[in-house]
Amino acid sequence: MMSCANIQVSETPLVLFALRRADDALILGHRLSEWCGHAPMLEEDMALSNIALDLIGQARELYSYAAKVEGGDNDEDKLAYLRDVRQYRNLLLVEQPNGDFAQTLVRQFFYSAFADLYWRAMMTSRDTTLAAVAAKSEKESAYHLRHASEWIIRLGDGTDESHARAQRAIDHLWAFTGEMFAVDDGERALIHAGIAVDPGTLRGRWLTTLSDVVSEATLRLPENDWMQQGGRAGRHSEHLGHLLSELQSMQRTFPGQTW
């Protein structure tokens, strides 16, 4: 059996910025794809698969742009399939296991409420490529948010069992949400240059969106403010390694294969 060596990436601030958002989309898209054939109803099987495809499409555009900015031999496939787990810079939130249906939808709700605001703000980026990616992604994230919100209300205001599961998911995943609003020095420079937007400025509106939906669902948001960190710096939970072993298996077993 053949194996592929891990690639090297020149992580300039702009490359790293694109990789972080691409990794978010790829990893969450892969998580959602795990529901294919297993969702509680056919319509939801199709909905989750379509959301996964949207996210993987976003990842492809961002990986391609990262490779172009880097100017080396990497391309979208190498960046997706040939990096080591520590080279991934996705949010810890998106790599968390699907769990039950409620946990999957709460994870999607937390992320989509942020992504919808973030991509809308990024449409004014001075980087024309990122602005174009944002314009397309925002249309998709708006649907993702609406879909997840409807399910949160349905689960929270449903049976005692669905309410309890939704609340447990909120309580469990809450500590992974703070990382969405953190930036490092490299990204701060991109913000000052008008290329990126400061996610911290979106937190108030994100909380308002969450509060409105959660309240209608007769659920509650946790009051603790302790948050997990690490994904953006390449420090991940054990779950990402298992996910990548599946996602990358074909490319690493049969190197250089193309469609």
Side-chain angles (χ1 to χ4, degrees):
M1 181 179 293
M2 299 178 65
S3 62
C4 290
N6 297 324
I7 62 170
Q8 298 300 312
V9 181
S10 177
E11 294 181 340
T12 63
L14 185 54
V15 170
L16 192 54
F17 176 85
L19 286 177
R20 284 169 170 166
R21 274 69 197 176
D23 290 345
D24 287 345
L26 178 70
I27 299 306
L28 184 55
H30 185 81
R31 276 288 184 234
L32 292 175
S33 75
E34 294 172 347
W35 275 103
C36 186
H38 300 282
M41 62 186 72
L42 178 60
E43 291 82 357
E44 194 57 24
D45 203 304
M46 295 173 64
L48 293 177
S49 295
N50 282 326
I51 293 172
L53 287 172
D54 287 343
L55 291 166
I56 292 170
Q58 293 172 19
R60 290 191 62 185
E61 293 182 346
L62 289 162
Y63 283 138
S64 294
Y65 185 52
K68 180 181 177 180
V69 172
E70 186 186 16
D73 295 329
N74 292 325
D75 57 22
E76 63 174 281
D77 289 328
K78 290 180 179 179
L79 291 172
Y81 297 121
L82 298 181
R83 283 181 298 150
D84 182 69
V85 62
R86 290 296 298 269
Q87 293 175 294
Y88 275 76
R89 303 307 181 97
N90 57 276
L91 298 165
L92 293 173
L93 174 67
V94 300
E95 69 192 49
Q96 297 309 301
N98 286 331
D100 60 18
F101 189 63
Q103 181 163 311
T104 290
L105 268 297
V106 168
R107 183 187 61 200
Q108 190 67 42
F109 175 55
F110 284 165
Y111 176 80
S112 295
F114 169 77
D116 186 47
L117 291 168
Y118 190 80
W119 287 127
R120 195 180 310 157
M122 278 293 296
M123 289 167 62
T124 63
S125 171
R126 292 180 180 175
D127 185 306
T128 56
T129 299
L130 290 176
V133 171
K136 178 177 181 293
S137 299
E138 194 281 326
K139 293 183 179 68
E140 295 167 342
S141 62
Y143 162 69
H144 301 170
L145 175 58
R146 184 169 67 251
H147 173 268
S149 298
E150 290 171 352
W151 268 110
I152 297 303
I153 295 168
R154 187 173 180 180
L155 293 171
D157 196 28
T159 65
D160 290 343
E161 178 71 13
S162 68
H163 177 96
R165 287 180 181 238
Q167 188 62 60
R168 280 199 300 268
I170 289 172
D171 294 342
H172 171 63
L173 294 172
W174 182 250
F176 297 103
T177 60
E179 193 175 26
M180 295 188 289
F181 304 97
V183 296
D184 58 15
D185 291 341
E187 189 163 333
R188 181 68 62 186
L190 295 178
I191 292 168
H192 289 325
I195 293 172
V197 297
D198 185 351
T201 63
L202 308 175
R203 183 170 170 78
R205 282 180 285 167
W206 177 80
L207 280 171
T208 297
T209 298
L210 262 59
S211 297
D212 290 346
V213 173
V214 166
S215 176
E216 186 174 350
T218 71
L219 298 164
R220 56 173 178 78
L221 294 175
E223 296 180 0
N224 62 297
D225 57 3
W226 181 85
M227 294 291 165
Q228 292 275 8
Q229 301 285 338
R232 287 293 190 233
R235 300 188 304 273
H236 296 282
S237 67
E238 69 275 16
H239 306 299
L240 184 62
H242 295 300
L243 183 152
L244 291 178
S245 68
E246 178 181 300
L247 187 151
Q248 298 181 339
S249 60
M250 183 67 72
Q251 184 69 5
R252 290 184 178 274
T253 305
F254 303 103
Q257 296 298 303
T258 58
W259 290 103

